[in-house]
Amino acid sequence: MKTVIKTTRLQKVYNGSVAPVTAVNDVNLEFYEGEFTAIVGPSGSGKTTFLNLIGGLDKPTAGHVHIEGVDISTMKESKLFDFRLRNIGFIFQSYNLIPVLTAKENVSFIMLLQKRPRAQMERRAVEMLEQVGLEDKLNSRPNQLSGGQQQRVAVARALASKPKFVLADEPTANLDTKSAFNLLDIMLRLNKEENITLIFSTHDQRVIDRARRVITLVDGAVSEDKAVSAEKNV
Amino acid sequence: MKTLIIISWRNIWRNRTRSIIIILALVLGIMGGIFSAAMRLTAEQQQMEDALKNQISHIQIHHPGFVANPEASYSIPRGSELAEELEQMDNIWAVSARTVFDGMAASANMNAGVRIKGVNPDSEAHTTSLDELLEEGTYFTGEGRLPGVIIGRELANDLNCHTGSRMVLTFQDKNNNMVHASFRVEGIYTMTSKDFERRTIFAHREVINSHIDHPDAVTEIAILLNDMEQYRQAAREFQEVWPDLKVRHWAQLAPSRYHNLEILDQVLIWILVIILLAISFGLLNTILMSILERVNELGLLMALGMKRSKVFSMVMLETAMIAIIGGILGLLSSYAMIQILNTSGVRLPGAEGMEEFGYASVLYPDIPVSFYFETAVVVIIFAILAAIYPAWKAIKIPPAQAVRQE
């Protein structure tokens, strides 16, 4: 299988008020194309920091992150912005849509920054919103959508530009059970149909049960990396 | 760019009240700026027009001794010929050769110290428009048993006389002998400066010269230039040509007035700057608040791949939009305000007191169209400068930290 992300001795240390805090400690992992991986662990175990590091939102204190062979940990910021834009999709815990844009505009936003042709962009945005079941909400602003609907728009946005992988930071944390299952179904389906690598941090058992690979972090270090049979999840 | 404009435009209307308040502040700021500038310009113009056209002209030439002692004995040698020579020059609009000295004016029961100006009626009318300033009476018609004088309204009130009243002027002739001469008040003039009205009497120069026993006397030559801006250069040139005479331009003749204008200019510029600074700080505060409220969102934009330079541009664009809306509304409101005030006039507080110093009591503010645009451009520049700090703060938001904030 093709390696999409590889981390080598990845470490992140924050300057805490009392003493330095090691959020990610010597993590060596590989993620493969088309994977549906859950990063699990208790609060403060370093899940989000790890996602930020492999997503290029944060710089490691030590170690490297390679995306398809490109080391992003030493990349200049301006290049990193561009790299992120073209290769990585993000889904955040608190929906994080642009409040002044409609659902369709939100989904188009990344493609717009990528300077895709307008017609292609519009077609893809509508297609993605159809995929997440929001074809009747194309022109709704985020404040006119429920939490579950907003998160579905965020999923559509993350996947619309066909990134190499999508990072989702506790995507179901603020959703009720029905919305969470619905979102997971959509993510799993898109993962299969679009063959997009999905990595999400969670401590939601509903999500963990559906993942094909579960990596457990404790105190910033990998304590378990377990592959789960695909049949169980689908 | 189009998306950036759409996002910026929608962002400024997310908090309507706040945006409207800041737009109103801009409108009022521009109105205040234009109003104060219009008042200054108009006051300056009205005062200058009065002072230069009706009183002191652009340049005056005297005998050097006359400056310290304004007496008839300090006559300009061959003054009439010099005046004629000046009249032929291309850059000169009008010349008035006068016999000027101080004296005493007396009516039946009052008297007052005055400056008597013996003038040629035609050239004086051309130079100072004295004939147009008459409130009542006639302008040196030569009719009547006694020679006519034109006096100011204030002096007429002080001496309790009116057109047709007899007036005795007392002054020294060229040999310093006291002369008493009877005149008839032929006309009463008014002008902005009440002090000038109270102190200045005009009579026919031939009559005055005959009384001082000096038919060719010319103690003062007043010059009105075609182009007022040339006054310094022209005065310098005349002085070089006639080194034995004292040539002074209006700023030297009325230094306090000139300096008042300079000070007024400075004060108003500072008032404008303070108004604009106040608006800028208001704007800075508003934008900063909107940035701090949107830390999460701005971080998200950067997390998604929007470059810091674009986020900076977006914040600047938001401010520019507010400034442009405020600028256009401010311009239109200011234009309407100036048009209304130009018709109705603005009565200045303490007007009577100001008239003593040559300031008009009622101003009809007006301003060149270019000034509207200059003010708007300055306001927009101030607004954009005010946005730099919040925009800089916006791009310093760490994306990873921002997207984690609830």
Side-chain angles (χ1 to χ4, degrees):
Chain A
M1 273 197 292
K2 185 180 169 191
T3 301
V4 181
I5 307 164
K6 184 180 179 186
T7 69
T8 318
R9 302 186 68 86
L10 194 63
Q11 190 186 47
K12 180 69 186 179
V13 180
Y14 290 110
N15 292 322
S17 53
V18 182
V21 177
T22 305
V24 171
N25 192 12
D26 197 25
V27 173
N28 298 286
L29 283 171
E30 281 190 57
F31 296 89
Y32 305 102
E33 190 175 43
E35 269 192 340
F36 193 87
T37 306
I39 312 280
V40 304
S43 290
S45 59
K47 301 185 296 289
T48 301
T49 305
F50 179 71
L51 286 192
N52 285 342
L53 291 173
I54 62 174
L57 289 176
D58 214 346
K59 289 269 183 189
T61 312
H64 298 274
V65 176
H66 286 88
I67 311 285
E68 288 191 344
V70 179
D71 187 355
I72 65 162
S73 40
T74 54
M75 207 177 253
K76 278 188 178 174
E77 196 192 51
S78 56
K79 275 197 169 180
L80 193 57
F81 267 81
D82 204 46
F83 188 87
R84 231 166 32 217
L85 175 66
R86 301 201 179 274
N87 297 289
I88 311 170
F90 290 94
I91 301 164
F92 302 102
Q93 181 179 340
S94 49
Y95 321 132
N96 278 308
L97 297 179
I98 302 162
V100 293
L101 298 182
T102 63
K104 192 170 86 176
E105 288 167 339
N106 262 292
V107 174
S108 307
F109 187 71
I110 292 169
M111 293 185 282
L112 199 86
L113 294 178
Q114 292 174 340
K115 298 191 169 74
R116 298 264 184 99
R118 183 161 289 275
Q120 181 201 347
M121 201 166 68
E122 295 234 335
R123 202 169 49 241
R124 178 72 176 156
V126 173
E127 180 192 318
M128 286 310 297
L129 282 167
E130 280 171 0
Q131 297 252 33
V132 298
L134 291 174
E135 59 276 14
D136 57 337
K137 301 286 183 189
L138 297 180
N139 297 315
S140 301
R141 295 256 184 112
N143 61 2
Q144 297 165 317
L145 300 171
S146 70
Q149 287 172 328
Q150 286 187 48
Q151 199 60 308
R152 274 145 67 190
V153 175
V155 169
R157 180 182 64 196
L159 275 72
S161 62
K162 297 190 176 174
K164 289 199 170 71
F165 61 96
V166 172
L167 299 174
D169 187 12
E170 308 215 20
T172 56
N174 294 339
L175 301 183
D176 58 50
T177 304
K178 192 182 165 197
S179 301
F181 278 125
N182 181 253
L183 189 81
L184 281 168
D185 286 342
I186 290 166
M187 286 168 76
L188 268 167
R189 182 162 46 80
L190 291 172
N191 165 250
K192 276 174 103 182
E193 287 172 6
E194 308 259 341
N195 196 33
I196 291 172
T197 310
L198 264 164
I199 303 165
F200 45 91
S201 71
T202 186
H203 47 233
D204 184 341
Q205 196 55 44
R206 300 167 300 191
V207 183
I208 299 166
D209 288 345
R210 294 191 166 216
R212 292 196 204 108
R213 181 183 173 192
V214 179
I215 297 167
T216 309
L217 289 183
V218 177
D219 294 335
V222 178
S223 74
E224 193 179 20
D225 184 353
K226 185 174 66 178
V228 184
S229 68
E231 290 74 25
K232 180 193 162 192
N233 299 302
V234 183
Chain B
M1 188 64 188
K2 193 183 164 194
T3 310
L4 215 56
I5 292 170
I6 291 172
I7 296 178
S8 301
W9 177 255
R10 290 181 188 170
N11 273 337
I12 63 174
W13 298 114
R14 280 163 80 171
N15 192 329
R16 273 171 203 274
T17 313
R18 192 162 63 195
S19 295
I20 287 170
I21 286 172
I22 199 70
I23 286 169
L24 273 177
L26 277 166
V27 170
L28 291 174
I30 292 175
M31 287 175 79
I34 288 182
F35 176 74
S36 61
M39 292 293 280
R40 172 180 66 82
L41 277 177
T42 309
E44 195 176 314
Q45 273 169 5
Q46 281 183 219
Q47 190 201 13
M48 290 283 282
E49 272 173 26
D50 274 3
L52 299 185
K53 188 151 184 1
N54 305 136
Q55 298 173 39
I56 49 184
S57 306
H58 297 148
I59 293 170
Q60 287 185 10
I61 301 175
H62 298 100
H63 185 287
F66 181 89
V67 178
N69 294 304
E71 293 171 3
S73 52
Y74 291 115
S75 181
I76 297 168
R78 299 192 299 112
S80 301
E81 290 168 36
L82 176 58
E84 280 170 23
E85 193 180 327
L86 285 164
E87 266 180 350
Q88 304 306 314
M89 290 185 176
D90 290 339
N91 59 340
I92 287 177
W93 171 257
V95 176
S96 180
R98 301 166 180 153
T99 305
V100 180
F101 47 77
D102 289 340
M104 186 74 80
S107 63
N109 44 14
M110 305 280 274
N111 57 52
V114 292
R115 176 153 289 192
I116 300 158
K117 293 195 175 193
V119 298
N120 175 303
D122 289 340
S123 55
E124 190 64 26
H126 198 39
T127 311
T128 62
S129 308
L130 180 62
D131 53 337
E132 292 170 14
L133 299 176
L134 288 191
E135 190 184 62
E136 61 178 87
T138 54
Y139 183 70
F140 297 119
T141 53
E143 292 167 2
R145 191 170 56 83
L146 290 171
V149 285
I150 310 283
I151 68 169
R153 167 56 63 198
E154 288 292 314
L155 183 65
N157 292 343
D158 288 353
L159 298 183
N160 195 23
C161 53
H162 45 83
T163 48
S165 298
R166 184 164 174 265
M167 177 176 278
V168 175
L169 298 182
T170 306
F171 44 87
Q172 291 180 331
D173 68 10
K174 72 171 184 180
N175 302 314
N176 297 330
N177 298 316
M178 293 304 286
V179 176
H180 305 281
S182 291
F183 291 85
R184 174 181 55 89
V185 176
E186 187 181 344
I188 296 174
Y189 68 87
T190 55
M191 62 162 59
T192 313
S193 171
K194 298 301 154 198
D195 184 54
F196 190 88
E197 271 184 24
R198 189 174 283 124
R199 278 186 41 79
T200 313
I201 287 181
F202 292 90
H204 204 296
R205 187 160 71 91
E206 282 178 18
V207 176
I208 291 292
N209 282 358
S210 69
H211 281 299
I212 62 170
D213 196 22
H214 193 339
D216 298 325
V218 172
T219 59
E220 178 175 288
I221 297 173
I223 299 164
L224 213 55
L225 300 169
N226 281 325
D227 179 6
M228 187 243 167
E229 301 298 322
Q230 300 293 318
Y231 71 93
R232 283 183 193 275
Q233 192 191 338
R236 203 165 41 241
E237 286 170 8
F238 295 158
Q239 188 63 76
E240 282 168 11
V241 177
W242 297 288
D244 296 336
L245 298 175
K246 186 77 177 170
V247 180
R248 289 177 295 171
H249 54 68
W250 72 270
Q252 293 167 317
L253 289 160
S256 60
R257 180 164 291 172
Y258 176 76
H259 290 302
N260 280 349
L261 286 178
E262 293 274 292
I263 292 165
L264 188 67
D265 260 355
Q266 294 294 317
V267 168
L268 283 160
I269 284 168
W270 279 109
I271 289 173
L272 260 178
V273 168
I274 290 165
I275 290 173
L276 291 175
L277 272 179
I279 296 171
S280 304
F281 278 109
L283 199 59
L284 187 146
N285 184 42
T286 307
I287 302 160
L288 207 54
M289 274 168 64
S290 85
I291 297 297
L292 295 175
E293 281 172 7
R294 289 189 286 153
V295 165
N296 172 289
E297 192 183 318
L298 294 167
L300 169 75
L301 293 175
M302 289 185 276
L304 293 177
M306 192 184 227
K307 288 195 173 134
R308 291 190 195 276
S309 58
K310 281 210 167 176
V311 174
F312 186 88
S313 306
M314 189 184 81
V315 175
M316 297 300 286
L317 206 58
E318 286 175 25
T319 316
M321 282 174 175
I322 289 181
I324 288 167
I325 296 169
I328 291 170
L329 290 177
L331 280 182
L332 294 174
S333 312
S334 302
Y335 182 77
M337 171 185 70
I338 294 295
Q339 293 308 304
I340 292 167
L341 294 179
N342 187 256
T343 312
S344 65
V346 181
R347 180 161 288 278
L348 299 173
E352 291 72 22
M354 291 181 75
E355 282 177 342
E356 296 291 333
F357 301 102
Y359 292 91
S361 58
V362 180
L363 289 181
Y364 297 89
D366 196 11
I367 203 158
V369 176
S370 62
F371 193 85
Y372 289 99
F373 294 103
E374 285 163 15
T375 307
V377 167
V378 170
V379 169
I380 288 168
I381 288 172
F382 264 75
I384 288 170
L385 286 177
I388 289 175
Y389 177 66
W392 182 78
K393 285 285 274 186
I395 61 169
K396 290 290 162 199
I397 296 168
Q401 190 186 320
V403 292
R404 292 186 77 172
Q405 290 192 3
E406 294 297 320

